[in-house]
Amino acid sequence: MNAAAAPHPVLDPAHAPPFPVAALPVLRNPQLRKNVAHAIDVIQAKRARLVEEKTDWQALRSAAAAIRAHALENLGAYLELFEARCTAAGGQVHWASDAAEARQIVLDLLRQENAAEVIKIKSMTSAEIQLNPFLESAGIEVFETDLAEIILQLGEDEPSHIVVPALHVNRSQVREIFARRMGIENLSDNPQALTAAARNYLREKFLRIPTAIGGANFLIAETGSVAVVESEGNGRMCLTLPRTLITLAGIEKILPRYQDLEVMLQVLARSATGERMNPYTSLWTGVRAGDGPERFHVVLLDNGRSRILARKNERQTLRCIRCAACMNACPVYRQTGGHAYGSVYPGPIGAILTPQLMQMRHAQSLPYASSLCGACFEVCPVKINIPEVLIDLRAVVTDQERLRIKRLFDPMYLGLRVAALVFSRAWLFHAAQRMARIGLRPFTKKDGWIHALPSIGAEWTQTRDLRGLPKQTFHAWWASRGKGVARENR
Amino acid sequence: MRASLFITCYNDTLFPETGRAVVALLERLGVALDFHPQQTCCGQMHANTGFHPEAISLAQRFVRLYQDAEAIVIPSSSCVAMIREQYAGLFEELGDTGLRQACAALLPRVFELSEFLIDKLGVDDVGAYFPHRVTYHASCHGLRALALGDRPGRLLAKVRGLDLVPLANLDRCCGFGGTFAVKNGEVSSAMLAEKLRDVTATGAEYCTALDNSCLMHLGGALHRQFAGMKTIHLAEILASTETLRAEARS
Amino acid sequence: MTSTVSSREPILNRVRAATPDGAPSAADAQRSWSALPRDYIRRGSLSAPSRLELMMERLREYDAETSECRLEELPAAIGAQLTRSGRRTLVAPEGLPQEWLVPGFKWKIDHGSGNGSLDIGEIERADGVLTACFCGVADSGTVVLHHTAAEGRRVLTLLPDWHLCILRASQVVQTLPEYFSRSHESASAPALVTWISGPSATADIEMTRIKGVHGPRFLNVILVRDEDAAAT
C-alpha cells in the first residue's frame, strides 16, 4: 500500500533479478497494479482519440521512421556537423564513451563552477548513467524538478515509466511523501494541492541555484540546436535561469534539419501523452548574451550505442524518441509496471534497449518478457519493429546458452532441442505423439483433462488445465479416411 | 480448386477436430484437398524462442514439402505469420538465395483459413448453422501480422442461428505467446485473468478464434474455473450445418 | 578539468565503422535527406475563418483565455483584458508598439541584454507579461515565440504567472509544417524558439491534468483581425 514501505527496486541491469522473478512483487500488489492500469488506460484512450483524428498519421509515422533511420545511417557526419554548429554558437561539446566517463565529465564541469547544488530536468539518459547517486556521493546536492521525479526522489523510489515516471504512485502515497519530506502538515491529497506544494518547494531553488543539468529530446545537426519537450515549465526554468547548463544526450538523438521537427513534434506529444502538443517545447542554440545561460555544455554519450548501430537489424532500436507509447500499449507492462524490467528503460523498448546497452552481458531475461503480440510495433511512431528485434535478441541469448553446461539441466532448452529433432522427421514426430499420449495418461483425469503437470509444465497448470491428448491425431484420421470412407470431390 | 492442408504440430496432436472441420468445410465448398503426411511443424516455437538454426531447418522442410502446392491452407494465423514474416529473414541468415526465391514464390499461395475463404474462394456465406451465443477472440497474429480485419466477422455474420457477442478490449493479448506462457508463467497468468474477465462478461456459450493456441490458453483457464463457457475453433463453427447437427443428434 | 584524451575520435570512429554506407559529410547526405518520404499533410485545407476559429477553439481546450478584436481596437482590448484580470504591474519586451502599453497600468520594459534589462526578481514579482509572437498553429493551438524584440527574452514569458499574448490573424497557420515553411521564409533557422500550447500543466499524479506548475498558470490570447488575414 505504502510506496515508502515497498522494497526499493533495483534498476541497475547488472544487478537486477531476472524479469519473471522481479515481476512477482508487482503481480502480488493489487494497489500497484491498479495504479499502473489506471494511468495507462487514461493515456491510451487519449492517444487513440488523437491518432484517429490525424488523417495523415501513417504518413507521419513513415516520415518519422525515415528521418530517424536516415539520421542514424549518417550519424558520423551529422554528429560532426552538430558539434561544429553548436561550438560556433558558443556551446561546448564533450564526448563520453561510457557512463563512467560521462559522470566524470559532468562532475568536473560542476567542480569548475564550484557548484554545491544542481537543479535537474528529467532525463532518462542521466538515469541510465546513474548520475544522481554519483553526484551525491561527490557531495553535490541534486534537485529533480519534474513533478514525477520529485515524487520519486523524495520517496526514494525509482522511475517505472519513461514519460510518467511515478505512474505507479497514487495521490495518497504522494501526499504522504510530500508531507513527510517537505514538512507540510495538513496537506490534502488533491492533485491540485500536491502540485502547488511542488511548485512552492521548487520556486526558490529555480531562482537560487545557478547550475542545471538536463537531457535532450533532439539535437539538430544543421543548426547545433537542442530541443527539450516538456509540460510543466520546470524544463524552461532550468534552461533559462541558471548561469550554466549541462545537457546530457545520447549520440542517437540527432535530427538532420530544423524542419524535421515538423514531423517529430507532431508524433511525439500524441504518442507520449495523448495531447496534440505538449505545453512547452524549447529550442536553443549555444548561448545568447542576455538570454539564458552564459555557459552551455553538451555531453554526447555513446555508452553502447555505437555497438547497437553496427548491428544492421537491431539498429532500429536507436530510432526511439522515448515516447513510451510501446509500454502504454504493452499487455505485459500493464501487468508488471516498470520496475520488473530492472532498468530505467522499461516496457517493450526497454526489453530490447537494455540488454543491448549491456552488450548482452546482463538483462538476458528481458527479450523474453513479451508475448510478441505486436501492439508495441503498431503504435511506435518511428516504426521500430520491436517483436522482430526481440526475436533476434532471443537468438543471441540462446546462442550464449548453447555454450553453457547448465543448459543440460534446463528443461526448456532440452525440450526445444528434442522438439527440433522430432520435427525433422515425420515418423519421429508421430512416435513422439504416441509417447506423449502414453506419458500424459497418468496425469489425465477422468474428465479427460490434465490438472497438474511436473517441471516446467507446472508453469502452465498453475492457472490452466490442459486437455488430455485425443486418441487419434489428424494425420492418423486422414490416413484412415483414405482406407474406409470414400473421398468426395476427388 | 485444389489446396494442400497444413495442419500444424499442435493442431495435429491436440486439436485434430479442427483439421477434420477444415476438411469438411472445404470439401463442402468443392475444394479438392491434399495432405502431405511428412508435414510436422512450421518452426515458429523455435524461431520465437531464439533457436534459429533449428527454426531454419524446419522452415526449409516446409518450403520443400509445399513448393509445388497450388494453394496452402493453414487454420492457424500464428503459423501463417511465422511463414510470412520470418522465413525470408531466416533464409537470409542461412545465406541461401535458392531457398529465399522458393519461399518468395511460395508466399502468395499461403493462406490462413479465413483469407482462403474470403480472398481465394470469394465466399463469406459457407452455409453454416450454429445456433449459439458466440464471442470472437482476435489472436494477435491474426489481428496485426495478417491484418485479417473484418474477415472473421463477415464469416460469423453469415452463420445461421449464431448470436455474435462483441468482446471488449479485442486488441489485447490473452497472454499465451508460446513459450512465454511457461517462461513467464505468472505474468502470462495475470494477462489471462484480465482477458478472461472480458470473455466471461460476454455471457457467450462459446469463445471462438482462428488460433487454437489462444483457445488452448483460454479454454484451459475456463475449464479450471468451471466457467461453463467452451472454446471452439472458427473452422468448427463454419463446418457445422443443420444436416450434420441432425445427424449427430440421431 | 575533463580528461585530456577526448573520446571524440574513438566514438566517431566506432560510429563510422558501424555505418559503412553513411555519407562522409552532412552535405553529402543532403540528397538522400531530400528524398525522404514526406506524404503527410503540409498545407491545411481550411478557409481563413475556419482556421482562426480552430486556433481559438484549441487554445480554449488548453484552458487558455481567448478574445478577438480588430487592429485599431487592440489597445482597448489589451486594456480590457488587463482590467478584467486585475493585474497592475506588467513586464513587456522593448520591441512592442508604444500604443500596446496602455495607460493606467505599471509597465516595466525589458531592454534585453546588458543595461536596461530587468532583473529576475522584478520579472518574478510582476503580475503578468505582454508579448507578441511569431506564429500560431491552429491544428494544435500552439503559439510560437522566436524571442525577438517584440517577443522578449525567454525568462519574460516564464516567471510571471499570467501571459497575455497578441496573435495577429495573418500569423495563424493551420499545420505545423506551415509554421516551418514560414520560419524558413523569414530567415535561417531561429536560434531560440519556444512552442507554447496552453498554460503549463502536469498529469503526473494519477493522470489528472493540473494546470499551472512552473510556467505561467494563465495564458490569455488576443486574436487581432488584421488586414492580411482578410485577403487570405
Side-chain angles (χ1 to χ4, degrees):
Chain A
M1 202 48 211
N2 189 329
H8 195 277
V10 183
L11 295 194
D12 179 352
H15 300 106
F19 184 81
V21 176
L24 291 180
V26 192
L27 292 174
R28 289 164 192 169
N29 185 339
Q31 179 65 53
L32 188 56
R33 292 175 68 188
K34 210 173 125 193
N35 295 353
V36 172
H38 167 73
I40 60 180
D41 280 347
V42 173
I43 313 178
Q44 278 279 80
K46 285 167 72 184
R47 177 199 168 274
R49 204 165 55 237
L50 287 193
V51 163
E52 193 165 341
E53 85 175 16
K54 199 82 188 128
T55 52
D56 57 346
W57 182 249
Q58 294 306 333
L60 281 166
R61 279 180 83 213
S62 299
I67 290 166
R68 293 292 297 135
H70 168 89
L72 294 171
E73 169 88 32
N74 301 287
L75 190 61
Y78 284 131
L79 279 169
E80 283 190 302
L81 181 62
F82 173 81
E83 181 191 38
R85 296 284 154 88
C86 178
T87 308
Q92 278 192 57
V93 178
H94 311 260
W95 303 75
S97 271
D98 56 22
E101 190 180 6
R103 290 192 295 252
Q104 193 59 47
I105 291 171
V106 172
L107 180 62
D108 289 345
L109 290 170
L110 294 177
R111 290 259 157 86
Q112 221 174 296
E113 297 288 328
N114 296 317
E117 297 173 306
V118 65
I119 46 176
K120 270 189 77 197
I121 318 175
K122 169 173 170 283
S123 153
M124 295 320 298
T125 314
S126 99
E128 173 192 328
I129 65 165
Q130 301 174 357
L131 183 62
N132 290 8
F134 175 80
L135 294 181
E136 273 154 19
S137 68
I140 292 170
E141 201 171 354
V142 179
F143 295 100
E144 290 289 350
T145 65
D146 175 80
L147 178 55
E149 294 285 353
I150 300 169
I151 295 168
L152 299 178
Q153 194 180 29
L154 297 182
E156 292 172 22
D157 200 350
E158 297 286 341
S160 69
H161 190 275
I162 60 173
V163 169
V164 200
L167 99 174
H168 60 288
V169 186
N170 68 21
R171 63 179 74 190
S172 68
Q173 294 164 330
V174 176
R175 193 210 69 83
E176 186 277 322
I177 294 165
F178 280 11
R180 182 161 47 86
R181 297 298 305 272
M182 294 177 185
I184 312 171
E185 286 168 38
N186 305 323
L187 181 63
S188 113
D189 69 356
N190 177 331
Q192 186 85 51
L194 296 170
T195 305
R199 178 181 165 106
N200 293 336
Y201 167 78
L202 283 178
R203 196 75 177 180
E204 169 274 333
K205 295 179 175 61
F206 285 136
L207 296 171
R208 180 171 57 79
I209 300 174
T211 317
I213 299 174
N217 287 91
F218 303 107
L219 307 172
I220 316 290
E222 175 193 20
T223 56
S225 312
V226 183
V228 163
V229 174
E230 55 142 348
S231 294
E232 298 172 8
N234 64 306
R236 293 178 71 197
M237 292 282 183
C238 294
L239 301 174
T240 311
L241 293 174
R243 193 174 58 226
T244 302
L245 171 64
I246 303 168
T247 290
L248 176 68
I251 51 172
E252 84 283 14
K253 294 283 162 115
I254 287 276
L255 288 182
R257 309 275 295 260
Y258 179 59
Q259 196 202 326
D260 294 324
L261 286 173
E262 74 184 20
V263 177
M264 308 319 294
L265 293 182
Q266 288 201 72
V267 295
L268 180 50
R270 282 181 172 82
S271 300
T273 51
E275 295 171 294
R276 293 193 183 87
M277 190 73 97
N278 50 292
Y280 298 135
T281 298
S282 296
L283 176 135
W284 72 98
T285 313
V287 294
R288 178 189 277 190
D291 192 341
E294 293 160 29
R295 286 186 286 281
F296 170 55
H297 302 270
V298 183
V299 182
L300 296 176
L301 176 72
D302 183 342
N303 205 29
R305 287 161 172 78
S306 56
R307 224 173 283 112
I308 303 176
L309 194 66
R311 291 179 61 98
K312 196 174 143 239
N313 196 39
E314 278 82 299
R315 181 187 291 174
Q316 55 182 320
T317 310
L318 298 174
R319 280 188 220 154
C320 177
I321 55 172
R322 306 286 189 262
C323 72
C326 61
M327 56 200 76
N328 299 335
C330 179
V332 173
Y333 179 93
R334 186 182 169 79
Q335 302 301 332
T336 65
H339 290 160
Y341 293 80
S343 161
V344 299
Y345 302 115
I349 187 64
I352 60 171
L353 180 60
T354 304
Q356 293 189 79
L357 288 177
M358 293 287 116
Q359 302 176 48
M360 301 305 289
R361 287 192 201 122
H362 302 287
Q364 290 102 327
S365 67
L366 290 186
Y368 295 92
S370 165
S371 63
L372 302 178
C373 81
C376 48
F377 180 31
E378 188 175 55
V379 296
C380 178
V382 289
K383 291 191 175 176
I384 303 171
N385 189 335
I386 294 178
E388 182 181 285
V389 179
L390 284 167
I391 291 170
D392 280 355
L393 297 181
R394 289 177 183 189
V396 176
V397 176
T398 299
D399 287 344
Q400 292 176 348
E401 275 176 14
R402 288 181 207 274
L403 305 172
R404 293 201 184 115
I405 295 293
K406 97 176 175 204
R407 77 190 190 279
L408 301 173
F409 304 96
D410 178 352
M412 175 73 82
Y413 180 88
L414 293 175
L416 280 155
R417 293 283 300 185
V418 170
L421 177 70
V422 160
F423 290 143
S424 69
R425 304 271 187 285
W427 67 268
L428 268 174
F429 175 46
H430 299 156
Q433 287 174 320
R434 284 192 294 275
M435 279 170 63
R437 200 174 305 120
I438 296 164
L440 286 172
R441 207 170 286 154
F443 300 99
T444 312
K445 302 283 176 198
K446 277 196 192 120
D447 62 1
W449 287 72
I450 297 163
H451 296 235
L453 281 171
S455 183
I456 51 169
E459 290 287 333
W460 179 273
T461 53
Q462 61 176 335
T463 51
R464 323 145 183 99
D465 293 338
L466 182 67
R467 211 179 61 171
L469 297 197
K471 291 202 175 62
Q472 194 182 33
T473 60
F474 176 80
H475 72 263
W477 172 80
W478 179 273
S480 71
R481 201 171 87 118
K483 287 169 200 146
V485 189
R487 291 163 91 166
E488 298 155 35
N489 306 314
R490 279 211 141 192
Chain B
M1 173 76 60
R2 192 167 195 92
S4 193
L5 277 178
F6 179 55
I7 301 298
T8 45
C9 55
Y10 68 92
N11 273 336
D12 184 50
T13 313
L14 293 161
F15 302 98
E17 65 271 27
T18 299
R20 294 199 299 266
V22 175
V23 173
L25 169 68
L26 294 183
E27 289 188 345
R28 189 171 82 218
L29 296 170
V31 181
L33 291 174
D34 296 320
F35 176 78
H36 204 303
Q38 291 301 311
Q39 65 180 265
T40 56
C41 172
C42 68
Q44 179 184 203
M45 180 172 64
H46 288 92
N48 286 355
T49 315
F51 289 73
H52 278 198
E54 291 84 350
I56 288 171
S57 59
L58 292 172
Q60 246 171 323
R61 214 170 168 272
F62 177 90
V63 173
R64 290 215 185 99
L65 283 180
Y66 286 93
Q67 56 192 353
D68 299 324
E70 203 173 303
I72 303 141
V73 182
I74 308 177
S76 164
S77 41
S78 68
C79 300
V80 177
M82 164 69 189
I83 294 162
R84 276 196 200 147
E85 291 196 323
Q86 296 200 52
Y87 273 22
L90 289 171
F91 294 147
E92 194 181 330
E93 206 172 302
L94 186 68
D96 190 328
T97 12
L99 262 174
R100 277 180 67 189
Q101 283 162 353
C103 178
L106 182 66
L107 284 187
R109 289 176 279 139
V110 174
F111 296 90
E112 183 281 324
L113 177 65
S114 69
E115 292 174 336
F116 185 74
L117 293 171
I118 290 189
D119 305 346
K120 186 76 177 171
L121 298 185
V123 290
D124 51 14
D125 186 348
V126 296
Y129 173 72
F130 194 76
H132 298 282
R133 264 170 86 80
V134 174
T135 193
Y136 171 74
H137 162 72
S139 75
C140 300
H141 284 110
L143 184 74
R144 301 199 177 89
L146 307 189
L148 293 179
D150 65 355
R151 289 183 187 86
R154 283 171 57 191
L155 291 164
L156 282 164
K158 294 285 167 66
V159 177
R160 283 150 197 82
L162 187 142
D163 178 13
L164 186 65
V165 197
L167 179 61
N169 300 306
L170 188 67
D171 60 353
R172 192 176 289 157
C173 176
C174 73
F176 176 64
T179 51
F180 172 79
V182 174
K183 275 191 177 266
N184 280 282
E186 302 256 1
V187 181
S188 167
S189 295
M191 292 160 72
L192 174 60
E194 192 159 6
K195 177 56 74 179
L196 276 182
R197 278 199 290 277
D198 288 333
V199 170
T200 49
T202 61
E205 297 162 72
Y206 287 92
C207 176
T208 190
L210 285 159
D211 277 88
N212 272 327
S213 47
C214 306
L215 292 178
M216 177 170 75
H217 196 225
L218 289 163
L222 287 167
H223 189 264
R224 170 69 54 91
Q225 298 175 8
F226 306 104
M229 189 191 290
K230 287 182 273 223
T231 53
I232 185 170
H233 193 283
L234 187 62
E236 293 161 49
I237 293 180
L238 298 180
S240 166
T241 61
E242 269 176 278
T243 329
L244 279 175
R245 293 178 70 88
E247 279 172 15
R249 269 195 301 274
S250 60
Chain C
M1 72 151 277
T2 49
S3 51
T4 43
V5 185
S6 168
S7 286
R8 182 184 187 276
E9 290 311 314
I11 292 175
L12 283 172
N13 287 343
R14 283 197 296 271
V15 166
R16 299 238 187 241
T19 52
D21 300 330
S25 77
D28 298 309
Q30 173 65 37
R31 190 180 307 164
S32 57
W33 181 86
S34 304
L36 294 176
R38 291 180 188 274
D39 302 325
Y40 49 89
I41 297 168
R42 303 198 56 87
R43 296 203 72 84
S45 51
L46 292 179
S47 67
S50 311
R51 182 169 70 231
L52 297 174
E53 198 177 312
L54 181 65
M55 178 81 208
M56 293 287 105
E57 188 189 310
R58 291 281 190 258
L59 279 166
R60 285 190 292 273
E61 281 172 23
Y62 292 131
D63 297 322
E65 294 175 84
T66 60
S67 59
E68 296 178 30
C69 69
R70 290 200 306 275
L71 187 56
E72 61 274 20
E73 297 166 340
L74 182 56
I78 292 172
Q81 291 304 324
L82 290 175
T83 307
R84 208 165 65 85
S85 74
R87 289 168 201 268
R88 308 291 310 157
T89 309
L90 296 128
V91 293
E94 61 181 339
L96 291 188
Q98 189 58 41
E99 61 272 22
W100 291 15
L101 310 176
V102 292
F105 300 89
K106 189 166 180 198
W107 293 101
K108 295 191 167 188
I109 307 304
D110 181 66
H111 294 281
S113 59
N115 289 343
S117 71
L118 298 173
D119 74 35
I120 297 300
E122 276 178 292
I123 300 170
E124 159 84 356
R125 282 190 299 275
D127 294 332
V129 56
L130 171 68
T131 71
C133 65
F134 176 81
C135 187
V137 183
D139 256 353
S140 55
T142 303
V143 170
V144 191
L145 302 180
H146 279 186
H147 300 286
T148 59
E151 296 156 39
R153 295 189 294 151
R154 287 177 291 172
V155 67
L156 276 195
T157 41
L158 177 60
L159 290 180
D161 211 16
W162 191 76
H163 180 193
L164 178 58
C165 185
I166 310 303
L167 173 65
R168 284 181 286 120
S170 57
Q171 290 175 315
V172 178
V173 296
Q174 187 184 328
T175 69
L176 193 64
E178 285 175 81
Y179 152 73
F180 279 87
S181 308
R182 223 176 241 224
S183 175
H184 190 69
E185 284 159 22
S186 72
S188 56
L192 291 176
V193 190
T194 307
W195 287 265
I196 297 173
S197 307
S200 83
T202 185
D204 275 346
I205 300 172
E206 294 186 15
M207 303 312 295
T208 311
R209 188 182 158 98
I210 302 297
K211 188 174 78 162
V213 192
H214 305 298
R217 280 186 278 196
F218 304 93
L219 175 66
N220 187 321
V221 176
I222 300 178
L223 178 72
V224 185
R225 303 264 182 188
D226 57 355
E227 293 169 324
D228 300 14
T232 16

